[in-house]
């Protein structure tokens, strides 16, 4: 299978490439070689490649960064996704879009694939906008997920925030299976609902427990982004 993957230098992209290269012909240009915001560059790659599958991981993922650099968030997460989607449509290439559980407002958790999205922050809104674009193309799969790297990156973790988030080496194989399946529409990929502190201590027993009331956060607090493992 010929596969085009964006965001190959990111956490998820790197993990997927390692596995995909063993069995498939994978093209994964960096953002300089193929900036998803550049429609002409995207089209040139698709015209030359005749890809069976496109896995769109590229995104501006900094939550605080998106709050400050709104235009960059729009250009990367929305316009870039439009460019990728249109290229896939022209060449009849199946599209996998890596979305986020942050498309939900976090008010109750246990979100299913049929639950209405309600993005709060600018990062979430930009990813939700990209998701809606992709969902206009029938030959596509939207994957909502959330992950850390292989280690917990902070010294403290919230006991009063919950998620289905897990570490990349656990989540990436699940995403890979979904990418290689015939599934279309929307799929949720995560692990069992836990507090961020419970997730953290799995790989960093020294992490300090804190609550959201102890920290002055500059971004919207999503209390519970846990998802049902369905779809």
């Amino acid at each position: 299978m010929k596969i085009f993957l964006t965001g190959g230098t990111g956490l998820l992209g790197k993990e997927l490439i390692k596995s995909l290269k063993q069995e498939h012909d994978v093209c994964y240009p960096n953002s300089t070689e193929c900036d998803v915001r550049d429609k002409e560059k995207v089209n040139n790659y698709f015209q030359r490649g005749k890809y069976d599958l496109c896995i769109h991981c590229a995104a501006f993922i900094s939550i605080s960064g998106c709050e400050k650099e709104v235009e960059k968030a729009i250009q990367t997460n929305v316009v870039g996704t439009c460019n990728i989607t249109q290229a896939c449509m022209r060449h009849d290439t199946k599209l996998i879009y890596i979305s986020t559980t942050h498309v939900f407002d976090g008010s109750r958790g246990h979100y299913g694939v049929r639950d209405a999205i309600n993005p709060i922050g600018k990062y979430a809104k930009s990813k939700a906008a990209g998701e809606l674009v992709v969902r206009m193309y029938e030959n596509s799969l939207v994957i909502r997920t959330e992950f850390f790297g292989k280690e917990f990156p902070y010294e403290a973790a919230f006991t009063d925030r919950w998620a289905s988030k897990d570490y990349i080496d656990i989540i990436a194989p699940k995403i890979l299976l979904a990418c290689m399946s015939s599934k279309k529409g929307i799929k949720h990929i995560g692990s069992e609902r836990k507090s961020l502190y419970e997730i953290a201590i799995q790989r960093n027993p020294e992490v300090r427990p804190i609550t959201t009331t102890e920290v002055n956060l500059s971004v919207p607090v999503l209390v519970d982004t846990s998802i049902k493992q369905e779809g």
Side-chain angles (χ1 to χ4, degrees):
M1 183 183 292
K2 291 196 69 174
I3 300 172
F4 185 78
L5 184 143
T6 70
T9 60
L11 278 173
L12 178 59
K14 288 178 180 177
E15 290 293 313
L16 294 179
I17 288 167
K18 285 191 294 186
S19 298
L20 289 169
K21 285 174 65 178
Q22 297 176 20
E23 298 183 18
H24 303 283
D25 179 4
V26 189
C27 177
Y28 48 99
N30 61 37
S31 59
T32 301
E33 295 166 329
C34 184
D35 188 335
V36 296
R37 298 172 295 184
D38 188 326
K39 189 172 186 177
E40 184 176 353
K41 282 189 176 181
V42 170
N43 288 337
N44 286 341
Y45 267 91
F46 273 79
Q47 286 168 3
R48 297 196 304 265
K50 300 187 184 302
Y51 304 105
D52 303 295
L53 178 68
C54 173
I55 306 175
H56 183 34
C57 303
F60 182 24
I61 63 171
S62 169
I63 294 175
S64 59
C66 286
E67 293 292 324
K68 299 171 184 175
E69 300 180 74
V70 181
E71 185 173 350
K72 181 179 178 181
I74 292 171
Q75 287 295 319
T76 305
N77 297 349
V78 185
V79 175
T81 300
C82 286
N83 291 338
I84 291 292
T85 303
Q86 289 175 309
C88 287
M89 292 174 70
R90 292 190 193 98
H91 297 274
D92 194 25
T93 301
K94 184 177 181 181
L95 172 58
I96 309 291
Y97 175 69
I98 306 302
S99 189
T100 172
T101 58
H102 285 218
V103 297
F104 300 110
D105 59 19
S107 61
R108 62 175 178 82
H110 295 290
Y111 294 102
V113 295
R114 295 172 183 81
D115 286 331
I117 61 176
N118 183 31
I120 303 300
K122 291 181 172 61
Y123 164 70
K125 289 175 180 176
S126 69
K127 290 296 290 181
E131 179 177 305
L132 291 174
V133 169
V134 171
R135 289 167 63 184
M136 294 177 70
Y137 178 40
E138 287 78 7
N139 192 18
S140 69
L141 174 64
V142 170
I143 295 177
R144 295 176 181 148
T145 190
E146 192 175 5
F147 47 82
F148 292 113
K150 293 184 178 181
E151 304 294 336
F152 188 75
Y154 309 111
E155 295 180 355
F158 294 115
T159 58
D160 57 350
R161 288 183 65 185
W162 291 267
S164 298
K165 197 170 183 176
D166 216 320
Y167 297 93
I168 189 63
D169 51 305
I170 295 174
I171 294 294
K174 297 180 182 181
I175 291 177
L176 181 62
L177 284 175
C179 290
M180 295 295 102
S181 74
S182 60
K183 172 71 178 176
K184 298 178 184 179
I186 303 171
K187 185 172 182 63
H188 285 179
I189 293 180
S191 293
E192 180 185 350
R193 177 184 182 269
K194 298 183 182 73
S195 71
L196 296 189
Y197 177 70
E198 290 175 304
I199 299 169
I201 60 173
Q202 291 178 345
R203 297 203 175 174
N204 181 4
E206 304 302 319
V207 72
R208 179 169 55 88
I210 58 171
T211 66
T212 53
T213 58
E214 299 175 56
V215 182
N216 183 22
L217 297 171
S218 59
V219 296
V221 176
L222 303 184
V223 175
D224 191 340
T225 57
S226 63
I227 49 178
K228 296 178 183 177
Q229 305 303 302
E230 61 179 3

